[in-house]
Amino acid sequence: MEENKNMLDWCLYGNDKREEMDRDLEPEYLWDTLQRYQDVFGEEFGVKELLMLKDIRVKAMIAGALADMPEFLIDQIGKANNSSTFPSVTRAVERIADVIEEKWQEERE
């Protein structure tokens, strides 16, 4: 649940979140993270294991974002619907969101 919230935060905050994640991949931050994991798991925990953890985290975030996509689209449609600037775009996107939501609910059943 928290990972899903983080993905929505990424959309809402834009470059700030992206820059934070990029910074986490800089060598000095990776080194600190590796040392903390080695303190817990021992010296055999290496760069390969750390990168595997990063990979799992990213995949979990992507899965969470995909799961939240219909809800996010519906929310965005609601916001666009309240705006007088995008009435025709809103109707088109709303139709797309309806189809996505129907397919998503079919898969859940």
Side-chain angles (χ1 to χ4, degrees):
M1 183 76 165
E2 185 64 28
E3 290 296 325
N4 294 344
K5 181 185 178 308
N6 288 340
M7 286 309 292
L8 288 177
D9 287 351
W10 184 308
C11 277
L12 298 174
Y13 298 120
N15 287 338
D16 293 344
K17 195 69 165 175
R18 232 175 262 122
E19 288 171 6
E20 177 186 328
M21 291 197 66
D22 285 345
R23 187 193 71 229
D24 286 347
L25 292 175
E26 290 176 7
E28 58 272 8
Y29 290 99
L30 283 173
W31 178 246
D32 280 347
T33 304
L34 178 62
Q35 287 181 321
R36 283 186 281 134
Y37 276 104
Q38 285 178 336
D39 287 345
V40 174
F41 297 114
E43 290 295 318
E44 57 275 353
F45 188 93
V47 173
K48 181 179 176 183
E49 289 79 13
L50 177 63
L51 293 177
M52 285 173 54
L53 283 176
K54 295 277 186 189
D55 184 54
I56 291 168
R57 180 174 180 238
V58 167
K59 288 176 181 171
M61 291 173 69
I62 291 169
L66 290 173
D68 282 346
M69 188 172 35
E71 186 178 331
F72 180 74
L73 284 174
I74 290 169
D75 181 57
Q76 294 303 305
I77 290 167
K79 288 178 183 176
N81 196 30
N82 292 333
S83 168
S84 61
T85 311
F86 300 106
S88 61
V89 172
T90 301
R91 282 191 289 279
V93 173
E94 194 170 26
R95 286 193 294 264
I96 292 168
D98 288 342
V99 170
I100 291 172
E101 186 174 15
E102 286 173 16
K103 292 292 183 185
W104 183 64
Q105 290 195 5
E106 285 174 10
E107 289 179 15
R108 290 185 74 193
E109 294 174 349

